Amino acid sequence: MDLGLTDKNVIVTGASQGIGASIAHCFLKEGANVLIVSRGSEQLFSTELEFQSSFGKERVRAVTCDCTDVEALQKIAKEVQQVWDCVDIVVANVGDGRSVSEVLPNAEQWGKTWEVNFESALHTARTFLPMLQESKGCLLFVSSIAAMEALGAPVDYSTAKSAVTALAKN
């Protein structure tokens, strides 16, 4: 299928494995240039090598970054401007559904879950939105059905993902 993504520049956060790696793989199959981003380096660079062997070294790069760290995201944005000049698509995919079983977690746990599941998406959006506006690009948020359905997921996780879903609608 040709989605018209050949030579588009795409950033996928949370892309070392799972949904993020699958999203990056699909963009690569469509001919896009992809920057995969993740906190952990071992799995990230393994995924990068796998993608490079299938799609070429020039089409995929990996950068470690904790997307809750605004300065680290800004550093990536500067590198992207130098290497690609523009970005066409950013996929904010960071998230972690692990939490505690309490209905109302303590403040520390709540803050940790909120930071990973909402703040990372917010920081990614704030960092790359100016570049996307310039290129008339697209910002995609990956959320969870737990944002909209009572599935027994942790309350802090469901709340953070609900906020991401609301952010995406605006």
Side-chain angles (χ1 to χ4, degrees), residues 100-119:
V100 295
S101 60
E102 288 87 30
V103 174
L104 190 57
N106 66 43
E108 182 181 341
Q109 176 62 39
W110 187 278
K112 178 181 167 187
T113 300
W114 182 260
E115 184 176 46
V116 169
N117 290 291
F118 178 75
E119 295 289 335

Side-chain angles (χ1 to χ4, degrees), residues 9-59:
N9 299 319
V10 180
I11 299 170
V12 182
T13 66
S16 64
Q17 60 187 351
I19 293 169
S22 294
I23 291 168
H25 186 260
C26 289
F27 277 112
L28 287 162
K29 284 186 358 185
E30 287 293 324
N33 304 308
V34 180
L35 175 65
I36 57 175
V37 178
S38 179
R39 267 186 320 208
S41 60
E42 187 175 326
Q43 181 62 48
L44 177 67
F45 294 122
S46 174
T47 301
E48 176 189 36
L49 289 173
E50 178 185 329
F51 288 164
Q52 286 177 339
S53 70
S54 297
F55 301 103
K57 288 185 177 185
E58 68 285 348
R59 298 231 351 259

Side-chain angles (χ1 to χ4, degrees), residues 72-167:
L73 283 165
Q74 290 171 344
K75 182 178 176 186
I76 290 174
K78 287 178 184 173
E79 290 177 25
V80 165
Q81 283 183 315
Q82 291 173 349
V83 174
W84 283 343
D85 188 45
C86 74
V87 65
D88 300 294
I89 301 168
V90 174
V91 181
N93 174 60
V94 175
D96 185 347
R98 294 175 291 183
S99 187
V100 295
S101 60
E102 288 87 30
V103 174
L104 190 57
N106 66 43
E108 182 181 341
Q109 176 62 39
W110 187 278
K112 178 181 167 187
T113 300
W114 182 260
E115 184 176 46
V116 169
N117 290 291
F118 178 75
E119 295 289 335
S120 64
L122 181 63
H123 296 327
T124 299
R126 283 183 175 150
T127 300
F128 293 102
L129 191 58
M131 294 172 70
L132 291 167
Q133 288 171 326
E134 188 174 317
S135 69
K136 297 184 177 23
C138 181
L139 175 60
L140 304 169
F141 295 97
V142 176
S143 187
S144 169
I145 190 65
M148 302 175 76
E149 298 286 333
L151 303 171
V155 172
D156 49 355
Y157 172 76
S158 297
T159 302
K161 287 303 183 178
S162 180
V164 169
T165 301
L167 182 64

